[in-house]
């Protein structure tokens, strides 16, 4: 359904690749889909295609374009998993948010000034939280975001609705980090947290061994209702 396109950076001096999936007819809003550490792979492209089928323009920016070309990795292949971890460690996340902001500008133009949301996974879940605090995104969703407990000082800047999906047995987000997230965000008027008991990181992946069908469908239904409410 979608295709790779090049969009301009905020400076306008460079272009970077995004997977863009458009719905039939007029899009009701746009959603930025923020990748895991595995790049804009078939799972992220499938998520974009699903949002397009639901009537949204979906845009998945390649977050690693400055450090690696055309990243497309498989979480179930150990060698590729290690490559993904290395790329994550090399990513300038502050610059990544600026690239997401450029994608927001592009998407907003494509929907004639309409609303734009974002949904991110793993690394993308963290970046979705940062996007909520640092940009004018209209609504943000993060699945198993890593290191959000270290970003809580930015929560005062969140002006639009945020939803976070938190698997309680996440190997990358230990119980003390989850407790800090709840302590810091449970009373935030713009933030909704959902826990998934006994589930691990990556439970909502489209493909592969990490997926838990029932929990993925529950989380995705909550996300769909959230965007329906806040993006229209």
């Amino acid at each position: 359904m979608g295709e790779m396109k090049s969009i301009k950076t905020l400076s306008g001096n460079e272009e970077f690749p995004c997977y863009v999936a458009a719905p039939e007819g007029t899009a009701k809003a746009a959603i930025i889909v923020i990748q895991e550490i595995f790049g804009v792979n078939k799972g992220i492209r499938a998520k974009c295609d699903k949002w397009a089928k639901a009537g949204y323009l979906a845009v998945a920016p390649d977050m690693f374009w400055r450090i690696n070309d055309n990243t497309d990795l498989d979480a179930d292949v150990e060698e590729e998993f290690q490559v993904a971890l290395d790329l994550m460690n090399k990513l300038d996340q502050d610059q990544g948010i600026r690239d997401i902001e450029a994608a927001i500008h592009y998407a907003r133009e494509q929907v004639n000034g309409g609303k734009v949301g974002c949904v991110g996974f793993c690394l993308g879940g963290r970046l979705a939280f940062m996007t909520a605090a640092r940009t004018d995104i209209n609504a943000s969703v993060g699945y198993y975001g890593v290191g959000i407990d270290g970003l809580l000082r930015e929560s005062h800047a969140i002006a639009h609705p945020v939803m976070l999906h938190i698997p309680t047995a996440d190997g990358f987000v230990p119980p003390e980090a989850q407790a800090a997230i709840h302590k810091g965000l449970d009373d935030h008027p713009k933030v909704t947290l959902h826990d998934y008991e006994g589930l691990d990181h990556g439970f909502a992946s489209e493909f592969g061994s990490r997926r838990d069908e029932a929990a993925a469908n529950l989380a995705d239904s909550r996300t769909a209702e959230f965007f329906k409410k806040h993006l229209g």
Side-chain angles (χ1 to χ4, degrees):
M1 180 178 291
E3 62 181 325
M4 297 301 296
K5 294 187 177 183
S6 295
I7 70 173
K8 290 187 179 298
T9 59
L10 282 181
S11 69
N13 295 327
E14 296 178 277
E15 293 186 341
F16 65 99
C18 296
Y19 182 78
V20 180
E24 294 184 7
T26 302
K28 51 190 174 185
I31 295 173
I32 309 301
V33 179
I34 311 174
Q35 65 174 66
E36 296 182 278
I37 62 175
F38 308 106
V40 182
N41 61 7
K42 67 176 184 178
I44 294 300
R45 297 193 299 271
K47 288 185 181 296
C48 288
D49 292 346
K50 282 186 173 182
W51 286 118
K53 289 177 182 177
Y56 297 93
L57 175 74
V59 179
D62 180 351
M63 301 309 303
F64 292 154
W65 71 278
R66 296 174 184 273
I67 54 177
N68 192 63
D69 291 332
N70 305 315
T71 305
D72 186 344
L73 301 170
D74 187 334
D76 288 335
V77 177
E78 180 60 27
E79 294 83 358
E80 296 188 18
F81 190 89
Q82 294 305 317
V83 170
L85 289 174
D86 182 60
L87 290 171
M88 177 188 69
N89 290 330
K90 291 178 179 177
L91 176 67
D92 180 338
Q93 294 185 18
D94 294 327
Q95 180 61 64
I97 296 300
R98 290 190 284 274
D99 288 339
I100 290 171
E101 188 170 6
I104 294 169
H105 292 181
Y106 166 82
R108 190 164 280 140
E109 290 176 1
Q110 297 302 305
V111 295
N112 299 313
K115 292 183 176 181
V116 181
C118 72
V119 57
F121 306 84
C122 177
L123 166 66
R126 173 185 173 88
L127 295 177
F129 186 87
M130 294 169 70
T131 298
R134 300 186 188 183
T135 77
D136 64 349
I137 196 85
N138 295 110
S140 304
V141 177
Y143 286 68
Y144 28 87
V146 177
I148 290 176
D149 54 306
L151 297 168
L152 295 173
R153 65 189 179 278
E154 297 192 36
S155 63
H156 71 280
I158 294 173
H160 298 287
V162 172
M163 176 181 286
L164 299 179
H165 299 292
I166 304 169
T168 63
D170 192 331
F172 295 100
V173 184
E176 58 269 25
Q178 295 178 38
I181 291 168
H182 275 284
K183 182 178 179 180
L185 297 175
D186 276 344
D187 293 332
H188 196 296
K190 296 293 184 181
V191 179
T192 300
L193 306 179
H194 291 293
D195 287 337
Y196 298 82
E197 291 297 330
L199 292 179
D200 201 352
H201 195 83
F203 74 84
S205 300
E206 289 296 313
F207 306 108
S209 63
R210 300 179 299 161
R211 182 176 176 84
D212 183 286
E213 192 71 21
N217 288 335
L218 174 59
D220 288 349
S221 68
R222 286 169 166 167
T223 299
E225 285 301 312
F226 179 82
F227 283 144
K228 182 179 179 180
K229 178 178 179 181
H230 298 296
L231 300 181

